């Protein structure tokens, strides 16, 4: 039996996007303040929390798999199980049926209630939601502005500048799991940037479902990102994701004009066909997207564009798909994340457009795009051979502790030998590219090279 004076140990597992990573850091901070301890070791934990994602069916399946594992643990010993995040919000009914396995269910706007609910669940003799509880009300105001997240080490700090999304792309569950769009105060964001730098982070990544619609009084996203880039100690600023529908000139100028703002834009396409884009409620046409991509390229030669694409949205014909295929050929992205359409409960598409493309056809379209993109990525990477690029040192390479892993400004991974020259984590080093594949650049840090 646990001694009453010993703090309870909480283990958190995070699924989904960077916003969820950030939220887990907020949760850690909230729990620590309430007297809980955090552990990496699930075996030692009194509480296991899963911060879940609902974006596609396979995200759900992963969580159900982990819940089955936790059931086996819970059959052996006392354990409080909490489900947090987007799936907790969207699937409260199904998850409530998982009683008594799930003790606590908390959506993205309910984390302030989490310590109280866990305490209740831990002190209850029996288990289940009746003893723990739910916090699944979405808020129009919650931004957790006063909470400083507890980050792992590492050189990057995620910082959410806004929460929720008002775009209602017809395929997407996020407006239902994260509620209405709201921006944080710029002062709060800048305070958090300063604290992150103080803690040793040299790269800041600003997060939002649609960062370019950030607005707080007379602050827009361009003004905010410039202010972040000016905070002493910030060496690199990244952001994800902007929506192609509103990309203001001031943002181009900010990205082009500031050396600390990385020359990489993730510009989710979803489809290259006008009819499908309309059904998806993306509010831009193929031509508008292509014009935007061409404009970005003309303003910043060498900028990296990456994207997200969905294959097999309801009613997508082979000809519609070929529009996407040809657009990918034309734009030559640095990389593309390609997904099979996955119908999400409650979305506009689930109500209005039958999910009528067979899974094999969706899968085959995904493969064709992946096969198209791989050599484009490899070719763009090979073009860098011979150049000396500024690379931020991020950590040990996965292959060997004798090699560094870092990233170019354009977000491409570079590997080089530590023995080339001394370097410190988070510093920017001049690395000459010797070889390239679609996955990685191999380089050398010449001890005499400098950054121009
Ligand atoms: N707010 C971000 C998207 C976050 S979700 C943006 O608009 O850029 C990340 C990606 O998941 C989306 O860009 C989309 O390509 C994919 N996605 C979202 N819903 C999906 C669904 N129902 N089926 C398949 N892929 C989906
Ligand atoms: Fe989803 Fe569209 Fe909002 Fe992105 S912009 S989170 S795809 S609704
Ligand atoms: Fe992110 Fe998944 Fe939610 S992608 S916003 S955790 S549905």
């Amino acid at each position: 039996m646990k001694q009453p004076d010993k703090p309870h140990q909480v283990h958190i597992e995070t699924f989904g996007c960077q916003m969820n990573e950030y939220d887990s850091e907020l949760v850690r901070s909230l729990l620590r303040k309430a007297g809980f301890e955090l552990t990496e070791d699930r075996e030692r934990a009194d509480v296991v929390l899963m911060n879940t994602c609902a974006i596609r069916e396979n995200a759900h399946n992963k969580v159900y798999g982990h819940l089955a594992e936790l059931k086996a643990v819970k059959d052996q010993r006392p354990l409080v199980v909490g489900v947090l995040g987007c799936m907790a919000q969207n699937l409260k009914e199904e998850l409530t049926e998982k009683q008594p396995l799930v003790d606590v269910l908390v959506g993205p706007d309910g984390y302030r209630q989490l310590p109280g609910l866990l305490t209740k669940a831990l002190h209850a003799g029996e288990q289940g939601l009746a003893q723990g509880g739910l916090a699944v009300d979405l808020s129009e105001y919650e931004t957790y502005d006063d909470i400083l997240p507890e980050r792992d080490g590492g050189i990057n700090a995620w910082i959410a500048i806004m929460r929720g999304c008002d775009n209602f792309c017809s395929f997407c569950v996020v407006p239902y799991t994260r509620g209405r769009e709201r921006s944080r105060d710029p002062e709060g964001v800048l305070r958090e940037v300063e604290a992150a730098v103080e803690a040793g982070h040299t790269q800041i990544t600003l997060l939002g479902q649609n960062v370019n619609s950030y607005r707080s009084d007379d602050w827009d996203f361009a003004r905010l990102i410039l202010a972040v880039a000016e905070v002493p100690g910030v060496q690199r600023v990244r952001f994800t994701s902007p929506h192609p529908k509103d990309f203001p000139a001031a943002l181009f100028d900010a990205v082009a004009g500031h050396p600390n703002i990385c020359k990489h834009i993730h510009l989710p396409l979803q489809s290259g066909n006008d009819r499908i884009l309309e059904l998806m409620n993306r509010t831009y046409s193929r031509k508008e997207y292509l014009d935007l991509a061409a404009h970005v390229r003309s303003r910043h030669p060498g900028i990296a564009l990456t994207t997200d694409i969905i294959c097999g949205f309801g009613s997508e014909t082979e000809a519609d798909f070929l529009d996407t295929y040809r657009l990918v050929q034309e734009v030559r992205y640095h990389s593309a994340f390609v997904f099979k359409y996955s119908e999400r409960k409650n979305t506009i598409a689930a109500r209005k457009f039958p999910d009528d493309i067979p899974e094999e056809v969706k899968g085959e379209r995904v493969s064709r795009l992946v096969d198209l993109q791989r050599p484009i990525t490899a070719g763009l990477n090979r073009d860098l051979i011979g150049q000396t690029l500024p690379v931020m040192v991020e950590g040990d390479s996965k292959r060997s502790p004798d090699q560094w892993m870092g990233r170019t400004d354009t977000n491409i991974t570079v590997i080089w030998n530590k023995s080339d020259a001394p370097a410190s984590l988070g510093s920017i080093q001049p690395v000459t590219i010797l070889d390239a594949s679609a996955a990685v650049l191999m380089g050398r840090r010449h001890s005499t090279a400098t950054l121009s």
Side-chain angles (χ1 to χ4, degrees), residues 322-382:
L322 285 176
D323 281 342
T324 306
Y325 190 91
R326 281 190 285 264
L327 190 149
V328 170
Q329 270 174 324
E330 188 176 332
V331 172
R332 295 177 58 77
Y333 294 103
H334 272 64
S335 67
F337 299 96
V338 189
F339 308 105
K340 285 202 281 186
Y341 172 58
S342 169
E343 187 178 80
R344 307 321 294 138
K345 214 179 110 186
N346 296 334
T347 56
I348 299 162
R351 281 179 269 133
K352 285 174 63 178
F353 313 125
D355 179 16
D356 57 359
I357 307 300
E359 285 302 301
E360 322 75 86
V361 176
K362 291 179 185 172
E364 183 251 349
R365 289 179 186 165
V366 168
S367 305
R368 277 154 74 195
L369 281 184
V370 170
D371 290 345
L372 170 65
Q373 181 58 45
R374 197 181 299 108
I376 297 175
T377 303
L380 289 168
N381 285 353
R382 271 198 306 274

Side-chain angles (χ1 to χ4, degrees), residues 269-277 286-287 289-290 309 316-331 333 365 368-369 372:
L269 168 70
Q270 315 304 358
S271 167
N273 173 266
D274 280 338
R275 186 182 67 85
I276 297 291
L277 283 171
R286 171 191 179 85
K287 177 163 187 317
Y289 184 97
L290 281 171
I309 296 170
E316 184 188 70
T317 64
E318 173 66 13
D320 298 336
F321 168 73
L322 285 176
D323 281 342
T324 306
Y325 190 91
R326 281 190 285 264
L327 190 149
V328 170
Q329 270 174 324
E330 188 176 332
V331 172
Y333 294 103
R365 289 179 186 165
R368 277 154 74 195
L369 281 184
L372 170 65

Side-chain angles (χ1 to χ4, degrees), residues 1 78 80 103 117-128 130-132:
M1 197 55 209
V80 166
D103 304 291
L117 294 177
L118 288 183
T119 305
K120 231 170 102 194
L122 281 159
H123 289 116
E126 285 171 56
Q127 292 165 359
Q131 274 67 41

Side-chain angles (χ1 to χ4, degrees), residues 69 128 244 375:
E69 272 174 39

Side-chain angles (χ1 to χ4, degrees), residues 165 167-169 171-172 174-175 209 243 282:
C165 183
N167 281 333
F168 288 94
C169 300
F171 52 81
C172 184
V174 172
Q209 297 301 344
H243 192 294
R282 289 294 287 181

Side-chain angles (χ1 to χ4, degrees), residues 9-292:
Q9 303 282 320
V10 183
H11 175 72
I12 307 181
E13 295 175 15
T14 307
F15 304 83
C17 65
Q18 294 100 332
M19 193 65 91
N20 255 17
E21 295 287 342
Y22 179 82
D23 281 357
S24 287
E25 294 171 352
L26 288 176
V27 164
R28 267 192 228 139
S29 174
L30 277 162
L31 291 177
R32 184 91 63 186
K33 268 198 211 115
F36 291 88
E37 275 183 7
L38 282 305
T39 175
E40 294 290 306
D41 182 2
R42 195 171 87 178
E43 305 307 309
R44 290 184 51 218
D46 311 300
V47 177
V48 174
L49 300 176
M50 282 191 292
N51 192 2
T52 59
C53 171
I55 202 84
R56 286 171 289 273
E57 195 54 32
N58 52 8
H60 283 186
N61 293 340
K62 238 188 244 170
V63 169
Y64 283 126
H66 280 245
L67 278 177
E69 272 174 39
L70 289 178
K71 180 163 187 335
V73 179
K74 205 166 167 166
D75 287 342
Q76 304 296 316
R77 67 176 179 90
L79 180 71
V80 166
V81 173
V83 180
L84 317 181
C86 289
M87 201 171 151
Q89 190 67 43
N90 207 39
L91 289 186
K92 24 190 185 296
E93 292 83 15
E94 278 95 319
L95 287 167
T96 308
E97 280 164 20
K98 296 254 166 212
Q99 291 201 63
L101 173 58
V102 178
D103 304 291
V104 171
L105 204 56
V106 181
D109 287 342
Y111 296 140
R112 287 182 202 269
Q113 295 175 59
L114 182 62
L117 294 177
L118 288 183
T119 305
K120 231 170 102 194
L122 281 159
H123 289 116
E126 285 171 56
Q127 292 165 359
L129 277 172
Q131 274 67 41
L134 284 87
V136 286
D137 289 334
L138 286 171
S139 155
E140 285 176 33
Y141 309 103
E142 180 63 271
T143 58
Y144 301 108
D145 207 33
D146 55 322
I147 299 166
L148 221 44
E150 180 182 315
R151 302 193 160 87
D152 288 335
I155 59 111
N156 181 69
W158 309 113
I159 299 191
I161 60 167
M162 60 205 296
R163 301 182 69 88
C165 183
D166 283 347
N167 281 333
F168 288 94
C169 300
S170 65
F171 52 81
C172 184
V173 77
V174 172
Y176 307 91
T177 64
R178 288 185 168 269
R180 299 288 56 76
E181 184 178 294
R182 62 220 104 117
S183 294
R184 285 177 63 182
D185 292 336
E187 296 78 26
V189 174
L190 291 168
R191 257 198 323 271
E192 198 177 323
V193 173
E194 282 160 14
V197 169
E198 183 88 350
H201 301 277
T202 52
Q203 175 176 287
I204 303 293
T205 305
L206 302 179
L207 294 179
Q209 297 301 344
N210 181 11
V211 284
N212 40 349
S213 68
Y214 175 88
R215 186 150 289 279
S216 176
D217 297 326
D218 52 351
W219 285 71
D220 62 5
F221 183 61
R223 183 168 174 201
L224 182 71
I225 196 171
L226 279 170
V228 169
E230 285 297 316
V231 171
V234 170
Q235 299 209 41
R236 280 186 172 174
V237 186
R238 300 186 183 278
F239 57 99
T240 195
S241 295
H243 192 294
K245 78 176 154 63
D246 44 12
F247 212 105
L251 182 52
F252 288 118
D253 295 341
V255 178
H258 203 292
N260 291 357
I261 302 179
C262 289
K263 306 296 176 275
H264 165 219
I265 299 183
H266 185 67
L267 207 53
L269 168 70
Q270 315 304 358
S271 167
N273 173 266
D274 280 338
R275 186 182 67 85
I276 297 291
L277 283 171
E278 172 117 34
L279 294 181
M280 287 177 163
N281 193 27
R282 289 294 287 181
T283 68
Y284 52 84
S285 66
R286 171 191 179 85
K287 177 163 187 317
E288 284 165 340
Y289 184 97
L290 281 171
D291 288 349
L292 176 61

